[in-house]
Amino acid sequence: MKILIVKLGASGDVVRTTPLLRVLKGDIHWLTSDLNCVMMDGRCEIGRLVSWNDRETLSSEIYDLVINLEDSVEVCILLKTLKFRDLFGAYEDSGGKLTYTTNSSEWFNLSLISNFGKEKADQLKFQNRRTYQDLIFRGLGYGFTGEKYFLPGAIVSDLKGDVAIAENCGSVWPMKNWAYYKELKAKLEDLGMSVNYLPMRKSILEHIGDIQNHKFLVSGDSLPMHIALGSGLKCVTIFTCTSPWEIHDYGLQKQVVSPYLGEFFYKRNFEARATTCISLEEVYQESLKQFGLEAHARRG
């Protein structure tokens, strides 16, 4: 079979889609954003990697299956120019409405293009207890059994330590930015731990190198979390407004979930209370447990 996967971004969402490469058989092509090409380049499991800027070159291909995991108008318009026999995922119907195939409904019912509308979709998303991988795998006829992420090779980094902290989750989800990373860093350093904030890097590959040079990660629901999970690093992840249940923890993750998650769930505005309702002490204690530092703390 010749299969096209369409997953452009965000980078963390691309990473968590890579387990599909462990079960799909055939000539696999992947369309992704220009930024995320570096995440996929050189993978022997991908027969052809296509950047969004080169998307028009796909018109010469004939696919047995297209897996479209994007719900944007641009991508659905692109699908109309492609030749394929079967589709999984989002598309534009004859009336110009974005919709999705029946076999992908378990995932897209929870999305912005849900046939139930956004309010109901958010309710369903909050009630969902299945991981992203499980939802996608089952829709495609596979059982998810913990297939791991693929990550590219890292660029050598000189940032090294015990604990990495990713304090900034970006501007799209401002309520992901927990308020007490500075204080947590100080408390862990009081135990004799080497703790570093992850800096902004020009290349995602250098960012991966930074994370892999540490033993543990503390972050929100973000790309660094996915990199840690793909690198075999233990992590503590703070969930203030997004779903912890969609994340498969691979036996590496401790999730600290806001007691007010339902109030702020999938909201993209900013309310300070969302970033402060998980206490410093709770994250600190969970970090000690996850990182096996209880004895170290007592010695300190």
Side-chain angles (χ1 to χ4, degrees):
M1 291 182 67
K2 181 179 284 189
I3 302 171
L4 174 66
I5 299 172
V6 182
K7 188 58 198 169
L8 305 183
S11 298
D13 291 339
V14 171
V15 172
R16 71 174 181 171
T17 303
T18 58
L20 280 177
L21 297 174
R22 300 189 183 276
V23 297
L24 295 174
K25 305 300 180 185
D27 184 12
I28 312 299
H29 296 188
W30 193 306
L31 174 65
T32 193
S33 68
D34 300 346
L35 172 67
N36 287 320
C37 277
V38 69
M39 303 288 287
M40 319 297 294
D41 193 28
R43 288 244 61 89
C44 63
E45 296 81 7
I46 299 177
R48 184 183 176 195
L49 179 64
V50 181
S51 71
W52 180 249
N53 275 347
D54 293 329
R55 61 192 180 277
E56 292 181 1
T57 64
L58 292 172
S59 61
S60 62
E61 304 280 1
I62 300 175
Y63 291 104
D64 296 292
L65 172 64
V66 171
I67 301 171
N68 177 28
L69 299 173
E70 296 292 336
D71 55 11
S72 71
V73 173
E74 276 188 309
V75 171
C76 290
I77 290 175
L78 173 68
L79 286 186
K80 294 182 176 182
T81 70
L82 303 184
K83 297 181 281 290
F84 54 88
R85 298 183 176 90
D86 199 7
L87 174 68
F88 174 96
Y91 67 97
E92 187 178 72
D93 67 16
S94 58
K97 177 187 175 183
L98 297 191
T99 186
Y100 42 89
T101 59
T102 301
N103 59 355
S104 68
S105 62
E106 289 187 314
W107 172 247
F108 282 100
N109 281 346
L110 317 180
S111 76
L112 289 172
I113 63 168
S114 171
N115 291 331
F116 299 106
K118 184 181 185 304
E119 183 176 351
K120 179 63 175 179
D122 285 349
Q123 292 174 6
L124 293 172
K125 201 171 186 71
F126 187 70
Q127 295 164 4
N128 172 58
R129 293 298 181 269
R130 294 169 57 203
T131 66
Y132 168 79
Q133 292 96 327
D134 184 40
L135 292 166
I136 299 301
F137 273 53
R138 193 161 87 170
L140 288 165
Y142 300 97
F144 178 65
T145 58
E147 285 79 5
K148 295 181 179 180
Y149 295 166
F150 282 108
L151 287 177
I155 290 177
V156 175
S157 164
D158 59 2
L159 184 72
K160 298 180 180 180
D162 296 310
V163 182
I165 292 179
E167 62 174 337
N168 192 337
C169 289
S171 59
V172 175
W173 299 96
M175 287 192 291
K176 283 186 179 183
N177 299 309
W178 185 58
Y180 303 119
Y181 283 117
K182 179 180 178 180
E183 293 81 356
L184 178 66
K185 182 176 186 291
K187 286 177 75 70
L188 292 175
E189 287 175 337
D190 284 345
L191 301 179
M193 307 300 292
S194 172
V195 185
N196 294 309
Y197 291 125
L198 293 173
M200 297 294 293
R201 297 294 195 185
K202 293 181 180 179
S203 169
I204 291 176
L205 301 185
E206 191 173 5
H207 190 52
I208 293 172
D210 287 341
I211 294 169
Q212 292 179 347
N213 280 346
H214 293 78
K215 299 174 182 176
F216 315 110
L217 172 77
V218 182
S219 73
D221 174 13
S222 60
L223 174 60
M225 173 196 73
H226 288 291
I227 292 172
L229 293 174
S231 302
L233 269 65
K234 287 188 175 182
C235 53
V236 171
T237 307
I238 300 165
F239 290 87
T240 56
C241 59
T242 55
S243 172
W245 307 290
E246 286 180 11
I247 306 301
H248 183 74
D249 65 14
Y250 291 98
L252 297 167
Q253 181 184 61
K254 172 61 184 178
Q255 299 181 343
V256 183
V257 181
S258 167
Y260 300 107
L261 183 67
E263 181 178 346
F264 301 113
F265 194 68
Y266 271 75
K267 294 180 179 177
R268 301 196 185 199
N269 60 315
F270 178 77
E271 292 189 42
R273 190 161 61 92
T275 68
T276 59
C277 61
I278 298 175
S279 71
L280 167 62
E281 189 62 22
E282 182 178 0
V283 176
Y284 176 65
Q285 292 299 329
E286 292 299 343
S287 297
L288 296 185
K289 294 175 187 177
Q290 176 71 335
F291 303 160
L293 301 179
E294 296 97 330
H296 197 162
R298 287 193 293 271
R299 290 198 302 271

